[in-house]
Amino acid sequence: MKKLIIIALLVASNLACSDEFFNIKPQGRASVDQLKNKNGVTALLVGAYSLLDGVGSGNTGRTSTASNYVFGGVASDDAVKGTDAGDQPEQSFIEQYNWLADNTYFLGKWWGMYDGVARTNEVIQIVNSPEIKDMTDAEKTQVIAEARFLRAYYHFECKKMWKNVPYIDDKVYVAADPNSTKIPNTEDIWPKIEADFDFAAKNLPAVQTQKGRATQWSAKAFLAKAYVFQKKWAPAKALLDDVLANSGKKLMTNYHDNYRNTTNNNAESIFEVEFSINDGTNGDNGNAGDNLNWPYSSTGPGRGCCGFYQPSHNLVNAFKTDENGLPLIGSKVDGSEDTFNNVDLPNDQGITAGTAFTLDKSIPVDPRLDWTVGRRGVNFLDWGGMPGSTWVRDQTYAGPFIGKKWMYYLAEEGSSTHSTNKRSVNNNFRIIKLSSVILWLAECEIELGNLARGEELVNMIRNRAKTGSVQDASVNYKIELYPAGTFAAKGADFARNAVHMETRLEFAMEGHRFFDLVRWGIAEPVLNKYAREEAVAGKEPSGRTFGKRGYMAGKTFTAKNNYYPLPQDEILNSQKDGKPVLKQNDGY
């Protein structure tokens, strides 16, 4: 140790008279000056896009994955944590509404989104540099538009998570000054989100030659989504009408085409997160944020891990239909008159894989059920019939169902999976599809009093489900359109509830459900009803009873739970002059 110190002192003394000693450039990283050209700007922009999957901000990716499976799925009535009781307790706390500010999942999401914000601001700052001579003004404007689109997206994610968050733009952000971003979270940031999306919509091309890049249509769809979240129905409707009529997008014939790697970037997709495999990386580019959400079996997709994110009984029951092929819903927007969850759809809860079991497939169900959920006795893509509890880590704890939308076909294993990690796949995550636009537009029409048009739009979605392909011909699939005039005859509240149900069925297990319940203003009654019913024993039409999720007994969702607590670490890190700048949400 002493010898090393002496050598260091000798080196320092020899260089003491030279300024070069203080001007050694860091090795293994690009300097700002090196990035002040077209190639550098492109690299920075790619880096800003790359955080859409949540991977690359000092966490595993699952806390900030685009699918929001924990915050939008596990926290809702769509899904349970899955796996077993001891695994990932942070997710268990979220599932059971026990939300503490030191939960590492909240911190990981914050890191992922604000790292994305920082990258977008760096793009804007660099491209505005006068030293860049090899880009036209039009090229610079497009880059800024893409960066502002991404900046709005990352802030939107924060807004729907925490409501009260700071907006960090390129005028505020100074990379070399950690205090520059310590600004209050007391201002409503919706106007700034809108402004960024609006700029993007006005300055992006209708079509991009490179897949995955934002277009004017994705910007308009996201701006409309921001309006919908704020209940600004008229401006949202104008944008959604424009996207539906003029974007060139169309519903795919088959519902499942939105969930296959072979139909990535299809005609229905408006914006999606691009995944890749066997690209020279360790698999992190292949939806690494969702790598826990696979069957717990070496014989199924993913080949062995990890059993998280399982559909709830409540979700499965929601796909039941009546004798007319319609959902089992009532006229109350909070779902209190819905009857779909009164009796459970037959399933193998409590029946081990070695025990004889024949699924009763006679009860009518929406065909989207078996493209969304794996259940014993029904075909699982091309893997054959799902074998039951051998694919479930702890059926007694988490139920008998498996999520399906992100799974790959057995015939595509290898071409769609990483060479060594079969849970790393190139099946993109579609954030916004034309079906999203249609159902948001249906909401707008109903809120503006146009019930007939709302009904027509809902029926567009139902007709695709009715006429598309089915997963298993032995199941009694029955789905019909709402007869003309149903919404008008039953009133606006029934129409709202119908849109709520259609939205749930169409996008189940895609991480939107919790945020939809909050923006509809019904999270508290719906999730408290769910917790009560999910905690008690289930009963099939045959009369067989079985246990559900006893751990949900007594769990209560309150008004404060509409938004998550800001990460405690971030509040502590926000201190200036000895006082935190960020204010915690009420109730935490």
Side-chain angles (χ1 to χ4, degrees), residues 35-55:
L35 296 171
K36 290 180 178 179
N37 53 64
K38 188 172 183 177
N39 287 338
V41 167
T42 299
L44 286 173
L45 184 60
V46 170
Y49 272 103
S50 73
L51 280 184
L52 287 170
D53 66 1
V55 178

Side-chain angles (χ1 to χ4, degrees), residues 489-500:
K490 294 193 174 185
D493 277 351
F494 175 85
R496 292 184 182 99
N497 201 29
V499 172
H500 294 173

Side-chain angles (χ1 to χ4, degrees), residues 140-304:
K140 291 180 179 180
T141 298
Q142 179 171 324
V143 167
I144 292 171
E146 289 187 62
R148 290 187 66 175
F149 170 90
L150 293 170
R151 184 170 72 186
Y153 169 82
Y154 292 127
H155 279 107
F156 196 146
E157 286 291 291
C158 295
K159 180 69 173 175
K160 72 184 187 184
M161 282 281 297
W162 294 289
K163 186 180 181 181
N164 301 307
V165 292
Y167 201 92
I168 312 296
D169 64 18
D170 54 296
K171 303 298 190 297
V172 169
Y173 175 75
V174 179
D177 180 10
N179 286 322
S180 67
T181 57
K182 294 180 179 180
I183 62 175
N185 60 328
T186 52
E187 179 186 4
D188 183 5
I189 70 169
W190 277 126
K192 293 181 178 180
I193 291 174
E194 293 172 9
D196 274 350
F197 279 140
D198 184 60
F199 181 88
K202 291 174 178 175
N203 290 282
L204 288 176
V207 178
Q208 292 271 24
T209 55
Q210 292 180 314
K211 295 176 181 178
R213 298 180 70 163
T215 68
Q216 66 168 266
W217 299 115
S218 52
K220 286 182 177 182
F222 267 106
L223 179 56
K225 182 178 181 180
Y227 288 148
V228 166
F229 265 66
Q230 300 172 78
K231 297 180 169 55
K232 294 182 176 180
W233 305 116
K237 170 178 157 50
L239 284 167
L240 295 167
D241 276 331
D242 185 17
V243 176
L244 181 59
N246 301 312
S247 67
K249 298 295 181 180
K250 63 180 182 179
L251 293 177
M252 298 296 289
T253 300
N254 295 315
Y255 175 73
H256 189 57
D257 283 344
N258 290 309
Y259 309 102
R260 293 196 67 174
N261 69 306
T262 55
T263 47
N264 286 340
N265 300 298
N266 62 37
E268 186 171 339
S269 180
I270 293 176
F271 191 70
E272 57 191 67
V273 180
E274 305 290 318
F275 297 129
S276 66
I277 45 94
N278 300 327
D279 54 6
T281 67
N282 62 358
D284 280 353
N285 290 332
N287 200 11
D290 291 79
N291 69 353
L292 298 181
N293 307 331
W294 295 85
Y296 193 68
S297 171
S298 61
T299 64
R303 300 292 181 174

